[in-house]
Amino acid sequence: MEGIREFLHEREQAGTLRVLQPVSRKGEGFAYFENRKYIDFSSNDYLCLSSHPRIKKAAQDALGFAGTSSSASRLLGGDSDLHHALEEKIACFKGKESALIFNSGYQANAGIISALYGREDVVFSDRLSHASIIDGIVLSRAKLFRFQHNDAGHLEYLLKSARHRFKNALIVTETVFSMDGGRPPLKDLVDLKESYNCRLMVDEAHATGIFGDNGSGVVEEEGLTENVDLIMGTFSKALGSFGAYVAVSKEIKEYLVNTSRGFIYSTALPPYVISANIASLDIIKEEPFRRKMLLESAEFFRRSLRRRGLEAGGASQIVPLAAGSIRRAVSMALSLQERGYRVLPVRPPTVRPGEERLRFSLTYCHKKEMLERLIDDICEVSNV
Ligand SMILES: *Cc1c(COP(=O)(O)O)cnc(C)c1O
């Protein structure tokens, strides 16, 4: 096919070619690759649950009695009591009437938005929304408006000028943004969705398990459960497992079961994954010290970097550090890698030119002494 070689060549020249790097083992805050051990700041295993003995045991037990596969989609025989038990637990955790499991966060966003909206509808999405949200909107064929990142004023301007031209409307955002660790003005978005007769959907992929008294997310922390129509999230990040869900009214769940292609046309998650997810929710409830410590570490890390004159951002366990250019982001990441840290540069097209950064994903396993040493190392490599 024409164009492939040129594309790859151009990416390589620009320093933006993406390549796979197999890790031989990871968990508990470390990653091993090419026979070397790194302190891992690129993992979404925020609470270090992927190696939790009780969650592993839950998965092993289910493997023993249910085997390795669900063998069919939910509607065609792949459904199980475990799936229903997990959905009930999620509904309760999120404070909604019901919940529906999806096989991944990508599939959830693509499958939910495309099922609920169509050609006559409109979706207002934060500029930095995850690719799966954008793909869901594209699949739905609804008109897309992107508002400036976390800018309720710009959203209101768009609603005022365009809402009346469409039938149904959705406002969608993340509650913790993966690339800048920031949080949206959720209360303002709720007010706008009410004034302009829209639904509000949030993606809590990076917030679930971490924010709120019960660890259910930012929606819980801000007391807005009643006001958010669709609360989507994943089991693949802080919950240390795999899969996704949406917490919604019974009516929306029933509608999605009947119309969401990402739900209907895909084999149900295997029982051992469901079982791990159930155990993981129990751990979130029983071990709140994990999330408390994580958020304290993140605050400490961010404040220390700023005190040293560095531009550290975010309001969560994700801490971006401004690098200014592709070259500086790459060279700082390489220098830190040489010092034994797994830290990745974030470059265009993921962020806009000029907004290149290093992204530190903190986890419960990163203890204070590790962070203190890292801060010293960052200061040294950022001076070169
Ligand atoms: C990771 C992520 C997803 C996708 O979830 P997967 O379960 O990995 O497919 C969706 N939305 C956001 C905001 C994410 O960060």
Side-chain angles (χ1 to χ4, degrees):
M1 219 168 92
E2 234 176 284
I4 292 179
R5 195 173 300 158
E6 291 81 352
F7 170 90
L8 293 174
H9 183 72
E10 273 167 31
R11 279 275 172 106
E12 187 154 23
Q13 291 300 305
T16 56
L17 188 68
R18 300 172 198 257
V19 289
L20 292 165
Q21 289 185 311
V23 171
S24 57
R25 183 154 73 84
K26 68 187 293 183
E28 295 169 328
F30 294 98
Y32 301 74
F33 69 109
E34 286 170 359
N35 294 324
R36 201 175 156 193
K37 181 180 183 180
Y38 292 83
I39 305 179
D40 190 6
F41 288 98
S42 66
S43 164
N44 301 320
D45 188 13
Y46 302 121
L47 300 175
C48 300
L49 295 190
S50 72
S51 47
H52 196 292
R54 266 180 56 198
I55 301 175
K56 290 204 287 194
K57 171 122 193 341
Q60 278 158 354
D61 289 351
L63 258 179
F65 68 77
T68 51
S69 176
S70 282
S71 312
S73 65
R74 293 278 300 277
L75 288 167
L76 292 178
D79 199 15
S80 76
D81 291 341
L82 280 171
H83 288 80
H84 289 266
L86 176 59
E87 285 176 343
E88 253 169 55
K89 246 182 143 68
I90 278 288
C92 178
F93 182 52
K94 292 280 173 176
K96 285 287 187 194
E97 243 175 39
S98 63
L100 183 65
I101 301 167
F102 283 82
N103 288 359
S104 73
Y106 183 93
Q107 238 170 294
N109 282 332
I112 293 163
I113 301 173
S114 60
L116 289 169
Y117 296 91
R119 283 180 200 284
E120 300 178 336
D121 303 326
V122 60
V123 182
F124 300 88
S125 168
D126 188 283
R127 261 202 83 81
L128 293 193
S129 285
H130 194 263
S132 55
I133 293 175
I134 302 301
D135 290 2
I137 301 166
V138 170
L139 269 177
S140 77
R141 300 187 173 93
K143 172 79 179 166
L144 165 63
F145 288 96
R146 306 215 293 175
F147 54 93
Q148 297 302 324
H149 183 44
N150 287 341
D151 187 343
H154 187 229
L155 171 60
E156 177 156 31
Y157 164 79
L158 294 174
L159 284 164
K160 205 177 269 173
S161 49
R163 169 67 186 98
H164 64 276
R165 289 195 270 125
F166 300 89
K167 207 163 118 198
N168 298 305
L170 176 72
I171 297 170
V172 58
T173 188
E174 295 176 29
T175 55
V176 169
F177 283 87
S178 61
M179 286 304 145
D180 69 8
R183 289 167 45 166
L186 208 52
K187 182 75 185 63
D188 296 343
L189 301 189
V190 163
D191 290 344
L192 287 172
K193 86 122 195 171
E194 279 158 11
S195 309
Y196 289 87
N197 185 28
C198 308
R199 280 201 199 98
L200 176 60
M201 172 171 172
V202 300
D203 179 335
E204 297 234 70
H206 294 277
T208 302
I210 296 174
F211 290 95
D213 284 343
N214 299 316
S216 116
V218 166
V219 174
E220 181 207 345
E221 185 176 283
E222 302 201 8
L224 296 171
T225 301
E226 296 283 299
N227 312 84
V228 180
D229 303 277
L230 300 111
I231 307 175
M232 174 272 175
T234 68
F235 297 104
S236 54
K237 283 158 184 161
L239 300 190
S241 181
F242 191 64
Y245 60 82
V246 65
V248 283
S249 66
K250 282 198 176 119
E251 196 175 72
I252 292 184
K253 172 175 175 170
E254 199 179 349
Y255 185 79
L256 290 173
V257 167
N258 282 276
T259 57
S260 176
R261 295 162 71 85
F263 171 80
I264 298 170
Y265 297 104
S266 194
T267 299
L269 283 177
Y272 66 90
V273 171
I274 300 295
S275 197
N277 295 348
I278 290 174
S280 177
L281 288 174
D282 290 336
I283 302 292
I284 296 292
K285 192 173 187 175
E286 291 165 32
E287 302 186 0
F289 59 87
R290 288 176 184 263
R291 56 181 176 270
K292 283 191 191 122
M293 258 193 63
L294 171 63
L295 290 175
E296 279 167 25
S297 304
E299 236 353 83
F300 165 76
F301 183 61
R302 190 164 18 241
R303 256 188 287 121
S304 308
L305 289 173
R306 285 182 185 154
R307 211 176 298 127
R308 306 258 195 127
L310 293 165
E311 224 183 293
S316 65
Q317 74 284 8
I318 300 167
V319 182
L321 179 69
S325 67
I326 295 183
R327 191 188 299 185
R328 188 145 181 276
V330 172
S331 83
M332 281 173 67
L334 284 175
S335 305
L336 288 170
Q337 284 164 20
E338 278 163 20
R339 292 171 188 232
Y341 303 101
R342 182 138 172 87
V343 181
L344 301 178
V346 183
R347 297 166 277 190
T350 309
V351 292
R352 282 192 269 189
E355 294 179 358
E356 293 81 2
R357 61 194 65 169
L358 298 187
R359 178 179 178 276
F360 296 90
S361 278
L362 268 54
T363 74
Y364 167 74
C365 300
H366 297 129
K367 303 300 175 204
K368 199 166 175 200
E369 312 79 71
M370 276 179 182
L371 295 177
E372 279 169 344
R373 222 190 69 208
L374 170 62
I375 292 160
D376 287 339
D377 283 319
I378 291 172
C379 289
E380 282 176 31
V381 309
S382 67
N383 286 332
V384 292

